[in-house]
Amino acid sequence: MMTNDRRKPIRWGMVGGGKGSQIGYIHRSAAHRDEVFALAAGAFDIDPERGRAFGLDLGLDEARSYRDYAAMFAAEAGRADGIEAVSIATPNNTHFAICKAALEHDLHVICEKPLCFTTAEAEELKALSEARSRIVGVTYGYAGHQMIEQARAMVRNGDLGEIRIVNLQFAHGFHSAAVEEQNPSTRWRVDPKFAGPSYVLGDVGTHPLYIAKVILPHLKIRRLLCTRQSFVKSRAPLEDNAVTLMEYDNGAIATIWSSAVNAGSMHGQKIRIVGSKASIEWWDERPNQLAYEIQGEPARILERGMDYLYPEARIDDRIGGGHPEGLFEAWANLYRRFGFAINRERGLAPAGVEELVFPDVDAGLEGVRWVENCVRSADAGGVWLDYR
Ligand code: NAI
């Protein structure tokens, strides 16, 4: 496994991800897994007192558990040992302002998806990150699973032949009823003021969209048709189910089913790529396996950590095949890559990390662009539109 310099961890802060939040724990766990980052400061909560207390629980100095992110960025900028990077794990409506303020304080940023609400905002963040030479990473965490690298290498090496059909879905059943009446993490997701122009398209659909981009970097979306529904009526205008059809520039066709009302389904995130010779299929609930089906032959199941995989899929090996890895390892793989990118800017990255792919500001921008296009098509009555 390629490692960052553990003697000089990146001084790191967090905004959001406070006590009881859904996603805060995995950020901290992934950032600390390989000692790439060291938590030094935080503004964890919309409730300043609860946030300060949580920071102390995590072992922060009292002075560095802040009431809000503006205070944190200002105070940390004045310290010789101030934070160099920050992760943003707050509801969607705050990402743009916090990310912008972080970049303006010359911090590297790891931001939750969606990066922001509009492509204009995403382009502004991209320009700012380039002007300041700071990285923006976006936590499309499932992309850190090893078998995604194997799928990417298989496509690049022609194992599937010409790519024809891409079937994608992230369709869980957790919100089949109006659980937002009780659950605060769901409540903001179905309110456009906090969630933005979409619910499931942005919340779940952008995950397989990004994974497809990793596996099929050469394909570009030419046009798209989307239809979206609010099966729990009180969620309108936001959708809890959507189907998107897409045409790529090589003539391949793709579908993405995004749903929170797929009753009985756990995650239901599946990636199936069909080529002229063979197909592959990956399911995030069995992430250590990749189905490889060659036309006319018995189907094979490729296993993580085995010698027969491509070398690119072995870079992230933490333990041999047979030992199951999961989402925490996938996120740690991504955080290690964010670390490599940041350490390149710090002059501390090992050789050979340039080739490693991670969800960067362009990936964040593409997610926002895709949601915008889907909403445009759905709200025009579910019509084909040129992708822009
Ligand atoms: P949540 O509602 O469970 O937690 C949000 C946290 O942010 C809370 O601790 C809250 O107090 C804090 N917060 C809110 N406003 C704040 C502010 N202005 N300053 C500081 N803290 C603030 O939300 P959840 O589910 O953890 O989602 C957070 C973000 O993570 C969302 O953008 C969501 O889309 C994303 N997410 C990403 C996942 C992934 O797989 N990458 C999975 C789940 C969520």
Side-chain angles (χ1 to χ4, degrees):
M1 194 175 86
M2 211 187 273
T3 53
N4 282 281
D5 187 341
R6 291 189 164 94
R7 289 161 306 176
K8 295 193 179 122
I10 299 158
R11 297 186 300 275
W12 175 62
M14 272 194 85
V15 183
K19 190 172 182 172
S21 69
Q22 194 176 168
I23 208 69
Y25 178 82
I26 198 169
H27 277 276
R28 287 184 290 279
S29 165
H32 286 146
R33 176 68 66 93
D34 299 310
E35 296 98 24
V36 183
F37 295 84
L39 185 69
F44 298 97
D45 207 295
I46 189 74
D47 176 329
E49 284 319 312
R50 199 171 53 191
R52 296 235 321 129
F54 186 64
L56 301 187
D57 273 358
L58 292 174
L60 289 184
D61 283 355
E62 199 166 350
R64 301 181 81 177
S65 184
Y66 295 93
R67 296 177 63 80
D68 61 64
Y69 73 87
M72 173 164 83
F73 293 163
E76 290 291 317
R79 295 179 67 114
D81 64 349
I83 54 170
E84 301 160 277
V86 67
S87 290
I88 302 170
T90 52
N92 303 354
N93 63 312
T94 62
H95 294 174
F96 175 70
I98 302 174
C99 190
K100 186 169 174 206
L103 290 169
E104 285 168 349
H105 284 84
D106 285 327
L107 296 172
H108 298 283
V109 181
I110 294 156
C111 189
E112 265 307 340
K113 36 59 58 175
L115 179 59
C116 48
F117 283 173
T118 65
T119 43
E121 287 173 350
E123 271 155 8
E124 191 180 332
L125 294 176
K126 179 175 152 97
L128 192 54
S129 74
E130 285 168 357
R132 304 265 174 161
S133 300
R134 290 297 177 265
I135 76 130
V136 173
V138 181
T139 37
Y140 289 118
Y142 308 96
H145 282 291
Q146 276 186 50
M147 297 314 265
I148 303 301
E149 290 298 326
Q150 170 68 13
R152 176 179 163 89
M154 289 176 79
V155 168
R156 187 172 46 232
N157 288 300
D159 296 347
L160 275 57
E162 180 80 12
I163 302 305
R164 291 175 169 169
I165 301 158
V166 182
N167 263 349
L168 308 170
Q169 63 172 69
F170 194 151
H172 66 80
F174 285 96
H175 303 160
S176 296
V179 294
E180 55 270 30
E181 287 164 13
Q182 275 81 43
N183 180 339
S185 283
T186 312
R187 196 169 307 136
W188 66 257
R189 282 178 159 78
V190 295
D191 181 343
K193 201 161 71 196
F194 297 97
S198 83
Y199 168 32
V200 291
L201 288 160
D203 202 51
V204 292
T206 52
H207 283 292
L209 177 81
Y210 176 67
I211 291 175
K213 186 73 191 166
V214 172
I215 300 174
L216 307 163
H218 57 296
L219 297 191
K220 300 212 169 10
I221 303 169
R222 189 165 56 195
R223 57 183 201 139
L224 146 171
L225 178 156
C226 177
T227 161
R228 59 177 185 160
Q229 300 75 36
S230 317
F231 283 110
V232 174
K233 295 289 171 232
S234 52
R235 291 175 183 159
L238 296 192
E239 77 291 344
D240 50 22
N241 188 77
V243 178
T244 308
L245 255 175
M246 308 189 294
E247 269 177 18
Y248 290 112
D249 56 358
N250 76 334
I253 186 96
T255 54
I256 304 190
W257 178 26
S258 314
S259 187
V261 295
N262 181 18
S265 160
M266 295 302 289
H267 253 199
Q269 182 176 202
K270 290 187 177 164
I271 315 285
R272 182 173 177 84
I273 298 175
V274 180
S276 51
K277 295 198 293 204
S279 303
I280 50 177
E281 186 162 321
W282 181 82
W283 178 22
D284 80 337
E285 294 170 36
R286 304 273 189 277
N288 295 283
Q289 286 81 30
L290 180 73
Y292 178 29
E293 299 158 7
I294 303 171
Q295 177 55 33
E297 296 184 17
R300 305 170 192 187
I301 303 292
L302 308 184
E303 293 277 349
R304 189 203 64 72
M306 298 302 288
D307 288 342
Y308 52 68
L309 301 179
Y310 283 110
E312 298 90 318
R314 305 294 309 280
I315 291 175
D316 292 324
D317 257 0
R318 295 162 183 279
I319 190 165
H323 301 278
E325 288 192 353
L327 192 61
F328 283 81
E329 285 75 24
W331 274 65
N333 292 340
L334 276 198
Y335 258 91
R336 201 172 55 227
R337 289 169 185 223
F338 296 146
F340 285 136
I342 294 170
N343 277 329
R344 285 185 75 198
E345 296 298 330
R346 296 164 95 213
L348 288 173
V353 299
E354 305 75 23
E355 302 300 312
L356 298 177
V357 175
F358 69 91
D360 58 8
V361 74
D362 286 314
L365 195 157
E366 195 49 35
V368 173
R369 187 196 305 282
W370 180 76
V371 170
E372 224 169 50
N373 276 276
C374 287
V375 168
R376 207 160 52 89
S377 164
D379 291 357
V383 294
W384 282 105
L385 291 177
D386 288 339
Y387 195 69
R388 64 177 197 216

